[in-house]
Amino acid sequence: RSPSLPAQMTSFISTAKELSVDLAACPEYSCTWDAILHAVENGVLPSAGKMWALACESATREEFNSIRERIGDRLRIVFDEAVLDADGNFIDPLCYLFSTNSSDGSAVHVALIQAKTHQMGGDDYERSYLKKGGKLYRFKNDDEFSNSLLSIICSDALNESVAHLIRTLHGQNCLILHLQLNKRPEAQAFRAYREYCCTTAPRTTEILCLNWAKGTSLLEDDEKKLLVAEPRSILFMAINELDAGDERIKHNHGKGCYLTYQKEQRTAAFLFSPDPRLLHFETTKPLTGGAAPNAGRSGPRMVGIYGWDLDAAAWNALVACDDDRFKSSWLDPHDSVRRLLDPILPENLDAERLVQLCIGKAASMDWANWMRLPSFELADDDTARRLTLCWS
C-alpha cells in the first residue's frame, strides 16, 4: 500500500459526496478500510439515490469482523457470512454504500459487501489464500425494462457461472462495472463476456472496465515490480445516437477521455487517461426509452479531471489533461513535422485527418468521418491507435 493511498481514498470519497455524483467507483483492492471507516464515522455517506461502489483492500476474517464492530451501529451491513467460513485467509471485497428506506419508511444507510468469486489466473497467492464468495448483487427497479447495475471484480470474469449469468440476465439494459487490478486486462479470458453484451440487440448494456493507473507497482523484497503497464480503463457502449461531433471529441480529449471504435463489434470504446487521475463524467443511461430502445443516448461528456496534490493531500481540479502523449512523444523529436502541424494542433481531430490524408488513407468519400479514420480503430488487444494518443 502506498503511504498516500489512505489520504487519496478519503479525498476521493469526500469529492464524490461534494459533487453529489450518482455513481462513484474505484478499482479492485484500492479503497482502504481507513477511508471507509473515516467516511462512516464522520457521516460522509451517499445521499438517497446515489451509490458508491468501492472495491476495497483485502481483509482477513479478524480484520473484517473488527471493521464491522466499528461501523455496525451506524449503518445496515449486508454480507454473506458463508464467505468467512470458506477456505483461505482473506476476502477481496466490493463495498456498495447507499441510502434507502426501511419497510417502516425510515431512512437507513447500507453497506452491501460482495466478495470476489474467482481467483486470479496464474496467481499462486489468490489461488492458495482467497476466500471466495458465491453471490453477485444486481440493483434494479421492479419494472421489467428498468436499467440495472452489476459489478464484477477482476477475475470474476474467469468464473464460467458469472459469465453465464451476464449472458442470460445482463445482456440488456445494464451497466456492468468491471473493477480490476490487472496486469493484462486485454487477455481474451477477461474480455470474452463483453462480446455478448456488445453485440446482442438491442445493445443496451454498457461496460466500464476500471483498472489501476499506468505505473502501478508491487513492492516485493524492497524492490518495485511493475504491475500495470497499460491500464486500458475503457467505457464500452453502442454507437447508436452517440454524440461524436468534433466539439464533443475535442472537449473529452482535453480532459483525458479518448474516443475509439471497436470495428468488429460496432462499439464505441472510450479510453481514459492512463495516469493516476480522478475522472468525472456525465453520460446517458444504457436504456433511455424513446422511439427506439437506445434513442437519446449521447455517450459520455467529461465534466472534470483531477490530479493528486501531495502537499494539500487532496484531489485538485485540472483545467485539462496535462499530457495526451502526442506532442511530447511523437512530434517533438520531428521538428519539421511539428512546425507544420502546430497551427492546427488545438483542433486535434483535424491534425489526425491531415496526417492520414497525407499517407493515403482517404479510401472513401466519407473518409474524414471518425468511424472511417484508421487511427480511431481499437486494436485487438484494446490498444489505442489514435495519433493523438501515443502512450502505447
Side-chain angles (χ1 to χ4, degrees):
R1 175 207 284 196
S2 164
S4 62
L5 188 58
Q8 288 179 329
M9 298 314 301
T10 298
S11 179
F12 165 66
I13 290 173
S14 297
T15 304
K17 177 68 174 179
E18 179 183 344
L19 296 175
S20 191
V21 295
D22 294 316
L23 175 65
C26 57
E28 178 188 26
Y29 287 127
S30 66
C31 190
T32 65
W33 290 108
D34 295 341
I36 290 182
L37 290 169
H38 180 273
V40 173
E41 292 175 346
N42 288 276
V44 183
L45 294 166
S47 306
K50 316 296 183 183
M51 178 175 289
W52 301 343
L54 308 175
C56 303
E57 61 186 346
S58 63
T60 64
R61 181 189 185 112
E62 293 73 21
E63 290 168 339
F64 183 69
N65 285 331
S66 175
I67 291 162
R68 286 201 290 186
E69 288 179 9
R70 284 185 60 174
I71 63 176
D73 60 342
R74 298 173 183 267
L75 42 68
R76 188 84 51 85
I77 298 177
V78 180
F79 177 66
D80 180 11
E81 297 291 338
V83 178
L84 294 182
D85 295 327
D87 293 338
N89 292 14
F90 68 92
I91 60 172
D92 177 1
L94 164 64
C95 180
Y96 290 107
L97 289 178
F98 58 96
S99 298
T100 185
N101 293 323
S102 59
S103 57
D104 63 5
S106 59
V108 59
H109 295 296
V110 180
L112 189 158
I113 299 171
Q114 173 180 309
K116 188 175 184 178
T117 68
H118 199 279
Q119 74 277 1
M120 192 70 166
D123 188 325
D124 293 337
Y125 191 75
E126 282 197 351
R127 184 170 62 244
S128 300
Y129 302 112
L130 177 69
K131 288 178 175 289
K132 291 186 285 189
K135 293 183 179 180
L136 301 185
Y137 298 90
R138 175 174 60 162
F139 295 85
K140 71 183 296 292
N141 296 327
D142 291 333
D143 179 4
E144 178 184 356
F145 298 103
S146 165
N147 283 293
S148 60
L149 173 73
L150 176 78
S151 297
I152 58 176
I153 306 171
C154 200
S155 53
D156 281 342
L158 306 179
N159 187 335
E160 178 51 38
S161 64
V162 169
H164 176 74
L165 183 70
I166 293 174
R167 290 193 297 268
T168 54
L169 288 181
H170 305 288
Q172 297 176 1
N173 312 345
C174 187
L175 172 62
I176 297 174
L177 299 179
H178 192 178
L179 308 176
Q180 306 178 58
L181 172 56
N182 198 344
K183 186 175 184 177
R184 292 199 58 210
E186 79 287 356
Q188 178 61 24
F190 289 103
R191 50 187 289 191
Y193 76 94
R194 292 182 350 215
E195 296 176 3
Y196 177 85
C197 298
C198 291
T199 58
T200 302
R203 306 189 69 200
T204 52
T205 282
E206 298 175 3
I207 303 170
L208 176 59
C209 295
L210 185 59
N211 199 9
W212 281 61
K214 179 183 178 73
T216 297
S217 302
L218 292 178
L219 191 64
E220 294 184 6
D221 300 323
D222 296 325
E223 180 183 352
K224 280 188 176 182
K225 296 185 177 180
L226 181 65
L227 180 63
V228 179
E230 290 193 32
R232 295 178 172 88
S233 290
I234 308 175
L235 172 65
F236 296 92
M237 63 180 297
I239 295 294
N240 306 65
E241 303 296 324
L242 190 68
D243 184 347
D246 283 16
E247 286 306 309
R248 174 65 70 89
I249 294 175
K250 176 185 172 183
H251 170 84
N252 284 345
H253 186 103
K255 294 187 180 296
C257 176
Y258 310 103
L259 176 60
T260 65
Y261 181 45
Q262 201 169 29
K263 189 173 182 180
E264 294 76 12
Q265 298 179 355
R266 306 184 316 284
T267 297
F270 293 87
L271 275 76
F272 294 99
S273 171
D275 297 317
R277 293 289 179 261
L278 192 158
L279 301 161
H280 181 197
F281 65 92
E282 59 186 13
T283 187
T284 42
K285 295 180 179 181
L287 178 69
T288 59
N294 49 12
R297 288 195 295 175
S298 60
R301 179 187 178 279
M302 292 299 296
V303 177
I305 184 169
Y306 298 75
W308 181 246
D309 185 331
L310 186 60
D311 294 331
W315 293 100
N316 285 346
L318 305 174
V319 174
C321 185
D322 44 8
D323 184 8
D324 67 0
R325 271 74 171 179
F326 180 48
K327 194 167 183 178
S328 60
S329 64
W330 192 72
L331 282 184
D332 282 352
H334 305 283
D335 187 62
S336 59
V337 178
R338 180 184 58 77
R339 284 186 283 112
L340 291 170
L341 289 181
D342 264 344
I344 63 169
L345 280 182
E347 303 295 333
N348 53 277
L349 189 53
D350 283 342
E352 288 192 62
R353 289 182 175 119
L354 177 59
V355 170
Q356 289 170 97
L357 174 65
C358 291
I359 60 176
K361 294 297 183 180
S364 63
M365 290 298 291
D366 61 345
W367 70 273
N369 183 303
W370 69 277
M371 286 189 288
R372 301 289 185 268
L373 292 172
S375 65
F376 273 78
E377 290 183 20
L378 191 67
D380 291 340
D381 64 351
D382 288 347
T383 298
R385 302 179 184 184
R386 291 284 304 276
L387 295 178
T388 49
L389 188 65
C390 293
W391 75 71
S392 299

